[in-house]
Amino acid sequence: MSNTPARTGRSVFFLIPLGALAGMALAMLNFQLSYASTVQAGELTSYIVWTLIGGAVLGGSFACPASAAAYISAASGKSAWYCAGLAGAALAVCWLLYAAVSVSGGTPATWLLPAAAVLTTAAGSCFAWLVVRRAV
């Protein structure tokens, strides 16, 4: 493990479109598992479009603080491990806030929520580590 100061370019912000794609995939999976059977045939297209839009917005908004945290910590000379940890912490906070709002609004939490939180937090942290490490 190296404590060499990290440097990064703006490529760490590529996490935002990746987060949007992950959000779209997770939203469609949730739609298929939870709501697809209850939607009328004529309204299916509208539901799918809004599910994709909502997933992209949510995934991108989760990735914004994570990529900003990784960029700022790398610009201040922190190690790649520190940058990845900070990006993961930002993603974890976003997921905790999302879970709290969802549950308080009456939406039941399923197995998909913690699974998605763990997988996307790990993937975002790894991405931040790889991008910052390559820039050294």
Side-chain angles (χ1 to χ4, degrees):
M1 185 165 112
S2 172
N3 285 332
T4 308
R7 282 182 253 144
T8 187
R10 298 184 197 279
S11 59
V12 75
F13 289 104
F14 190 62
L15 185 59
I16 297 170
L18 288 177
L21 289 174
M24 291 169 66
L26 290 169
M28 284 307 298
L29 179 62
N30 186 45
F31 176 75
Q32 286 294 326
L33 294 174
S34 304
Y35 304 107
S37 62
T38 62
V39 176
Q40 303 277 335
E43 298 174 343
L44 188 61
T45 303
S46 175
Y47 271 86
I48 289 174
V49 167
W50 285 109
T51 298
L52 289 173
I53 291 170
V57 168
L58 193 64
S61 67
F62 278 21
C64 280
S67 58
Y71 181 79
I72 291 169
S73 61
S76 66
K78 303 293 184 186
S79 70
W81 288 103
Y82 184 86
C83 297
L86 204 55
L91 284 168
V93 166
C94 288
W95 275 109
L96 287 172
L97 289 172
Y98 176 75
V101 169
S102 295
V103 172
S104 70
T107 304
T110 64
W111 62 270
L112 186 59
L113 183 64
V118 168
L119 290 175
T120 57
T121 300
S125 296
C126 288
F127 179 80
W129 180 78
L130 285 171
V131 168
V132 170
R133 186 168 173 247
R134 284 187 181 162
V136 173

